[in-house]
């Protein structure tokens, strides 16, 4: 996971990328990502490190995903 996080943070358009285990539900990991736009996010899923992660995550016990996409048109510091 550390390699995926570091590589993702270095990608163009990535502002934040982190994993956190939920203290109320041990074993549940939440991923938070912030990207410039959907194009940058789409490019992220085509990278080598993400393709490798997609094949290895099941071996590590990551087998289910529930995705939520929030499209923010303005950040708070721009209002």
């Amino acid at each position: 996971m550390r390699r995926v996080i570091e590589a993702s943070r270095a990608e163009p358009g990535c502002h934040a990328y982190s994993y956190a285990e939920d203290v109320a539900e041990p074993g549940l990991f939440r991923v938070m990502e912030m990207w410039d736009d959907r194009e940058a996010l789409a490019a992220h899923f085509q990278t080598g490190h993400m393709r490798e992660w997609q094949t290895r995550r099941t071996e590590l016990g990551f087998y289910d995903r529930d995705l939520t996409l929030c499209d923010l048109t303005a950040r708070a510091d721009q209002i």
Side-chain angles (χ1 to χ4, degrees):
M1 283 192 304
R2 182 180 303 265
R3 286 194 310 262
V4 169
I5 292 167
E6 291 170 355
S8 298
R9 287 178 177 171
E11 289 180 51
C14 182
H15 295 277
Y17 196 95
S18 62
Y19 282 64
E21 186 170 11
D22 191 312
V23 296
E25 293 185 55
L28 173 63
F29 283 81
R30 299 188 186 276
V31 181
M32 194 283 298
E33 307 175 32
M34 290 177 61
W35 297 91
D36 277 344
D37 49 37
R38 288 185 186 205
E39 290 79 19
L41 178 59
H44 164 66
F45 285 110
Q46 300 305 313
T47 61
H49 62 272
M50 282 306 295
R51 288 184 182 195
E52 179 183 353
W53 175 242
Q54 290 166 347
T55 56
R56 295 204 60 225
R57 67 180 176 216
T58 303
E59 299 167 10
L60 298 170
F62 293 87
Y63 54 87
D64 193 14
R65 299 186 317 162
D66 182 8
L67 304 173
T68 302
L69 175 66
C70 298
D71 187 358
L72 305 176
T73 56
R75 295 189 330 236
D77 62 340
Q78 296 174 329
I79 299 175

